[in-house]
Amino acid sequence: MKYETVTPKKFTGYHATAMIVAFFAVVVSVNMVMARFAVSTFSGTLVDNSYVASQKYNEWLEEARKQQAHGWTASRVTRVQDKVMMTVLRANDTALKDAEITAIAEHPVGRTDPIILHFVQNGAGVYVSRDVLPEGRWKLRIAITHRGNKMALAQEVL
C-alpha cells in the first residue's frame, strides 16, 4: 500500500488579511442592521425637554394625590369589535355615571397619527368609545372628568 504525501497549503498574508476583512465586514454589517432596526422602531423622544418636565414633577405628584383622593377605579380597556370599552367605579364600588371620558390613542412607535376617542355611557359605569380604533397595539392616554374632578391614566390595548 502506497501513501501519497500531502503537502499542506501555506497560510499566507493574503489568508490572514482575508480573514480579518471578513470578520470586520460581518461585525459592521450586523451593527448597521441593528442600528437600522433601532432607528426605525423607536423615535427616541420620551419628553421634549427634560428640564421643563423636571420642573413640573411636583405638580404631577399633587395631581396624582388628588386623583387618588377621589377613589375612582378604572378597569382595563378592552377591545369590543372595532371599539374599546372600560368600566369606571367610585370608591364604594358603585358606578360612576355621567362622566366625560376622552382618550388619545397613539401607536407605540409613532407610525400613525394619534386618534382621539370619545366615550359614551353604555350601562352603569360602562363606557364605550364612539370612535373606531384600528387593529393593532395602541397606547391610550385617558382623561376622565366628573363634576370638576379629574382622573388621568395610561393603558395599552392590543
Side-chain angles (χ1 to χ4, degrees):
M1 210 176 186
K2 277 187 162 180
Y3 292 103
E4 292 182 32
T5 54
V6 178
T7 57
K9 293 186 179 182
K10 292 184 178 180
F11 187 77
T12 65
Y14 173 77
H15 294 110
T17 303
M19 287 176 54
I20 291 171
V21 168
F23 170 77
F24 282 106
V26 169
V27 169
V28 169
S29 298
V30 169
N31 283 339
M32 290 176 71
V33 168
M34 293 300 183
R36 167 79 171 92
F37 285 148
V39 169
S40 67
T41 59
F42 180 63
S43 66
T45 302
L46 294 177
V47 290
D48 291 328
N49 186 332
S50 58
Y51 177 75
V52 172
S54 71
Q55 299 303 307
K56 294 182 179 182
Y57 183 72
N58 288 334
E59 292 174 31
W60 295 339
L61 287 177
E62 186 58 33
E63 287 175 17
R65 285 186 197 102
K66 288 179 185 177
Q67 183 172 305
Q68 284 182 332
H70 305 321
W72 299 347
T73 56
S75 69
R76 295 282 316 152
V77 176
T78 56
R79 191 178 286 277
V80 179
Q81 295 168 356
D82 57 351
K83 298 182 180 186
V84 291
M85 178 180 75
M86 67 186 301
T87 303
V88 184
L89 302 175
R90 296 176 185 267
N92 58 2
D93 289 336
T94 60
L96 182 67
K97 297 178 184 176
D98 302 322
E100 182 181 319
I101 302 177
T102 57
I104 298 174
E106 298 173 325
H107 196 268
V109 290
R111 293 189 180 185
T112 63
D113 291 332
I115 299 170
I116 297 175
L117 302 173
H118 301 277
F119 287 76
V120 293
Q121 191 170 346
N122 186 19
V126 177
Y127 294 86
V128 178
S129 66
R130 287 185 297 186
D131 311 288
V132 173
L133 184 66
E135 285 294 320
R137 187 177 203 164
W138 295 90
K139 291 188 309 184
L140 299 181
R141 288 188 294 128
I142 304 166
I144 304 170
T145 307
H146 184 260
R147 296 185 183 158
N149 296 325
K150 296 179 182 180
M151 179 178 184
L153 59 132
Q155 290 190 13
E156 196 169 278
V157 65
L158 300 174

